[in-house]
């Protein structure tokens, strides 16, 4: 046999063949064993796998060999870990679930936009911040109970 033939035969023997073939750019290491690129797993690199998984009902998908989480409605982030509050959470509130804010002490409401005054504002006064009343004239004081003399 010629040296060129033996060299070609040697190269064929060095190249492993997998059946079925490795998918998604996987490399055949030996029959039945593929080395998978990031984002793919399984014996033949046929399973999509998002590192760390997808949370809150998100689904791991592959689009043009880019593996990512497809988030359920109301969730965002690389792993669907961040809730979306379309109304926004004001006054240092935190969005904890889709459309639900967790409000700091002294604030309530869907967007943490309503102040709480433990003692109610009197004479038409309005609670504008935790325990802070905006009084209507001629009233003043913490709960709008003092009437100014004219």
């Amino acid at each position: 046999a010629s040296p060129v033939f033996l060299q070609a035969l040697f190269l064929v023997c060095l190249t492993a063949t997998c059946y079925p073939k490795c998918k998604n750019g996987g490399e055949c290491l030996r029959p039945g064993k593929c080395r998978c690129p990031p984002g793919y797993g399984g014996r033949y690199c046929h399973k999509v796998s998002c590192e760390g998984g997808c949370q809150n009902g998100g689904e791991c998908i592959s689009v043009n060999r880019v593996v990512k989480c497809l988030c359920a409605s109301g969730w965002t982030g690389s792993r669907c870990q961040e809730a979306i509050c379309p109304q926004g959470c004001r006054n240092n509130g935190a969005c904890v679930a889709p459309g639900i804010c967790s409000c700091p002490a002294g604030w309530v409401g869907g967007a943490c936009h309503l102040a709480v005054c433990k003692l109610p504002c009197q004479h038409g006064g309005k609670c504008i911040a935790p325990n802070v009343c905006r009084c209507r004239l001629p009233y003043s004081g913490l709960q709008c109970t003092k009437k100014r003399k004219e």
Side-chain angles (χ1 to χ4, degrees):
S2 74
V4 172
F5 175 77
L6 287 175
Q7 192 175 13
L9 190 63
F10 182 69
L11 285 174
V12 169
C13 290
L14 277 182
T15 308
T17 307
C18 288
Y19 185 82
K21 286 187 170 182
C22 301
K23 306 240 184 288
N24 299 303
E27 177 190 354
C28 186
L29 299 176
R30 61 180 179 274
K33 178 70 176 159
C34 299
R35 179 188 296 141
C36 304
Y40 296 94
R43 194 167 177 181
Y44 301 104
C45 307
H46 59 291
K47 293 181 181 173
V48 179
S49 93
C50 292
E51 193 174 323
C54 303
Q55 300 175 13
N56 300 302
E59 182 187 353
C60 188
I61 61 163
S62 172
V63 179
N64 299 326
R65 287 206 182 156
V66 175
V67 176
K68 63 181 186 171
C69 292
L70 178 65
C71 300
S73 178
W75 296 95
T76 188
S78 61
R79 296 175 55 212
C80 306
Q81 75 278 15
E82 298 169 32
I84 298 170
C85 289
Q87 78 279 21
C89 299
R90 292 160 44 184
N91 300 302
N92 292 319
C95 187
V96 293
I100 298 174
C101 296
S102 174
C103 304
W107 296 97
V108 294
C112 304
H113 61 293
L114 301 171
V116 177
C117 288
K118 287 188 173 113
L119 297 171
C121 304
Q122 303 293 318
H123 304 288
K126 185 178 178 196
C127 187
I128 58 165
N131 299 313
V132 176
C133 294
R134 177 187 292 142
C135 304
R136 296 178 73 182
L137 291 174
Y139 295 95
S140 66
L142 291 175
Q143 281 82 49
C144 307
T145 54
K146 295 178 186 164
K147 188 172 185 179
R148 290 190 194 139
K149 294 179 174 71
E150 310 252 338

